[in-house]
Amino acid sequence: ADNTALLASLSAKVEADRAKAKARAERFGVEYEEPRVEFILSAEELKLYMSPGAPGNPDGTLEVPQESDMEVEREIRDREYVEKIFEKVAEETRKAQARADRFNVPFTPPRLENILSKQEFRKYMSATAGRNPLAPSNAPVHGIDTFSEEEVKRQAERADRFKELMCVCVCV
C-alpha cells in the first residue's frame, strides 16, 4: 500500500512536468518534446518508477537507465546549454559592435543582465567564474603584450637565434 501511494505520487510528478513542458511549448510556439523521465526524477525515484509492473514500465520490458549514463546525459545537456548562452552573448556583442560602427559612437559591451534571463545569467557566471570571456582583458595570455614593437622585435631575435642553432645542429 505504501509503495502504491509513492508510485502514484511519482506518476503525478512526471505527468505534471510533462504538462508544464507541453504548455510551455504551446505558449512559445515551439515543437513539444516530451521530457525524459531521467531528468524529472531522482535516481532512487527512477528505479522505483521504472521497476517491472510500475507506471514507467508496465510490461517490464524497459531497462532502468544506469546512473553513469544519466550523468553523462546531464553533462552533455548542461554543456550544450552553456554553449548556447555563450553564443547568445557573442551575438549580442557583435550586434552592439555593428551598431556602434554604424552610428560612429564608442563601443560599449552590452550588459549581461540585460541580455540574459536570471537563470542564464547565473549559469553564465558559474561557467565563466564571473569573467566575460569575450573581453580582451580576459585573454588567456596575461602580462605580455604580444603586439607591442618591443615584443615583436624580441620574437624576431629569438626566431633568428633558433634558426642559427638549427643550422649548427644540422651542419655538425
Side-chain angles (χ1 to χ4, degrees):
D2 193 47
N3 216 11
T4 309
L6 184 56
L7 284 172
S9 71
L10 293 178
S11 293
K13 184 177 179 179
V14 169
E15 291 307 316
D17 203 81
R18 287 178 176 164
K20 275 195 255 179
K22 190 170 191 166
R24 194 177 311 118
E26 288 172 359
R27 187 174 75 202
F28 293 110
V30 295
E31 185 179 336
Y32 169 67
E33 186 175 318
E34 188 170 280
R36 294 178 49 186
V37 180
E38 299 92 82
F39 298 119
I40 300 171
L41 303 175
S42 69
E44 296 81 28
E45 292 172 333
L46 185 64
K47 285 178 187 172
L48 182 61
Y49 186 77
M50 295 295 289
S51 62
N57 194 3
D59 55 0
T61 58
L62 300 175
E63 278 189 40
V64 179
Q66 298 300 313
E67 238 176 282
S68 59
D69 297 339
M70 291 170 22
E71 284 304 314
V72 169
E73 283 288 325
R74 283 190 181 110
E75 257 184 53
I76 290 170
R77 199 170 123 187
D78 191 48
R79 185 175 56 231
E80 289 170 354
Y81 180 66
V82 170
E83 287 172 357
K84 286 179 186 176
I85 293 173
F86 284 168
E87 183 55 40
K88 184 177 182 180
V89 169
E91 179 64 29
E92 290 299 321
T93 304
R94 283 191 291 271
K95 286 179 185 177
Q97 180 68 53
R99 274 194 302 275
D101 292 345
R102 185 174 57 230
F103 295 113
N104 200 21
V105 294
F107 169 71
T108 54
R111 293 177 49 95
L112 296 175
E113 300 86 12
N114 297 339
I115 298 172
L116 305 172
S117 69
K118 286 182 181 180
Q119 180 185 7
E120 290 173 332
F121 183 75
R122 281 194 306 270
K123 190 62 159 174
Y124 183 88
M125 285 301 171
S126 117
T128 62
R131 295 185 303 271
N132 182 354
L134 301 174
S137 61
N138 293 325
V141 177
H142 294 288
I144 299 175
D145 181 8
T146 57
F147 296 109
S148 70
E149 290 179 29
E150 182 182 339
E151 186 60 31
V152 169
K153 188 171 123 183
R154 284 184 189 157
Q155 290 173 359
E157 289 171 358
R158 280 186 215 114
D160 290 341
R161 281 197 310 263
F162 184 72
K163 285 178 188 172
E164 290 172 10
L165 285 174
M166 287 302 292
C167 286
V168 170
C169 292
V170 172
C171 296
V172 173

